[in-house]
């Protein structure tokens, strides 16, 4: 229901709109879904708003709950991250806390972040290799695709398995997809 100390000043559905509305109203608190009009453009919107308005306080409210999304949102400058299924009173409480310059991070979000930080992050090259593994390429084909020796490709795959704590390529790919590290199309 309506809260006496809160008022919705604007609603936007695209990144462009979000920025325009923010410039116009400069709200105390912004609730932002990372999926703006069908893609994860919200992260970019956070960057843009915070570049222009350092004091902007953005709460991400999202159905996407993978580590990468949470990390990217907070890294881009969001104050905290709430899952879409959070009860309404939790949302209200979070808005008030952020208004008081607090930084309430829900336990389940903190747990996911801890997971992400403990996965020693893959290098850009390892990510490229993992994406090709995800497309079903063998080491020799990966080598050809990236212009590296088959042994080098094999070395990268070994490092990826070690960093993700898995024993085989298939598990590496499914785990990386679950965590939002790679997308499977």
């Amino acid at each position: 229901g309506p809260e006496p100390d809160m008022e919705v000043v604007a609603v936007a559905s695209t990144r462009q709109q979000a920025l325009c509305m923010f410039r116009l109203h400069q709200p105390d608190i912004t609730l932002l879904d990372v999926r703006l009009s069908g893609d994860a453009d919200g992260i970019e919107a956070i960057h843009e708003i915070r570049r222009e308005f350092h004091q902007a306080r953005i709460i991400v409210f999202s159905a996407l709950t993978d580590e990468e999304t949470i990390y990217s949102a907070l890294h881009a400058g969001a104050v905290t991250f709430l899952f879409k299924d959070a009860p309404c009173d939790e949302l209200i409480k979070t808005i008030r806390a952020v208004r008081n310059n607090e930084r309430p991070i829900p336990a389940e979000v903190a747990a996911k972040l801890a997971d992400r930080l403990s996965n020693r992050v893959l290098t850009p090259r390892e990510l490229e290799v993992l994406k090709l593994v995800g497309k079903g390429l063998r080491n020799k084909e990966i080598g050809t695709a990236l212009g590296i020796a088959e042994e080098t490709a094999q070395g990268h795959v070994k490092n990826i398995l070690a960093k993700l704590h898995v024993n085989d390529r298939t598990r590496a790919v499914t785990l990386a997809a679950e965590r939002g590290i790679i997308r499977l199309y």
Side-chain angles (χ1 to χ4, degrees), residues 1-138:
E3 297 295 318
D5 56 340
M6 292 180 199
E7 181 195 358
V8 174
V9 290
V11 177
S13 56
T14 66
R15 189 174 55 126
Q16 248 31 62
Q17 265 182 346
L19 196 57
C20 284
M21 288 300 180
F22 196 97
R23 284 190 187 121
L24 197 59
H25 298 281
Q26 303 200 18
D28 296 323
I29 307 285
T30 303
L31 274 183
L32 187 75
D33 190 338
V34 279
R35 269 208 179 112
L36 283 174
S37 60
D39 71 321
D41 226 9
I43 304 289
E44 198 39 52
I46 299 170
H47 275 294
E48 288 179 352
I49 291 171
R50 296 267 310 178
R51 237 197 320 269
E52 229 172 285
F53 304 94
H54 306 297
Q55 78 289 5
R57 288 180 282 189
I58 299 169
I59 300 170
V60 172
F61 191 51
S62 175
L64 298 174
T65 61
D66 61 275
E67 277 110 290
E68 284 307 301
T69 302
I70 295 171
Y71 176 82
S72 305
L74 296 175
H75 190 70
V79 179
T80 188
F81 194 106
L82 281 180
F83 296 155
K84 266 273 166 67
D85 54 16
C88 189
D89 59 343
E90 189 187 345
L91 176 60
I92 301 287
K93 230 170 53 194
T94 303
I95 293 173
R96 290 206 174 105
V98 171
R99 181 82 183 86
N100 294 329
N101 297 313
E102 293 163 31
R103 197 175 179 164
I105 305 266
E108 62 273 24
V109 170
K112 291 220 171 192
L113 276 179
D115 279 354
R116 174 164 188 309
L117 296 174
S118 67
N119 303 332
R120 303 214 316 278
V121 185
L122 303 180
T123 65
R125 175 59 101 189
E126 286 163 353
L127 271 176
E128 285 181 289
V129 170
L130 186 55
K131 283 179 186 147
L132 295 175
V133 171
K135 293 195 168 117
L137 275 64
R138 309 308 305 161

Side-chain angles (χ1 to χ4, degrees), residues 138-151:
R138 309 308 305 161
N139 293 343
K140 191 177 172 60
E141 299 161 322
I142 292 170
T144 306
L146 297 177
I148 56 179
E150 183 181 349
E151 293 69 44

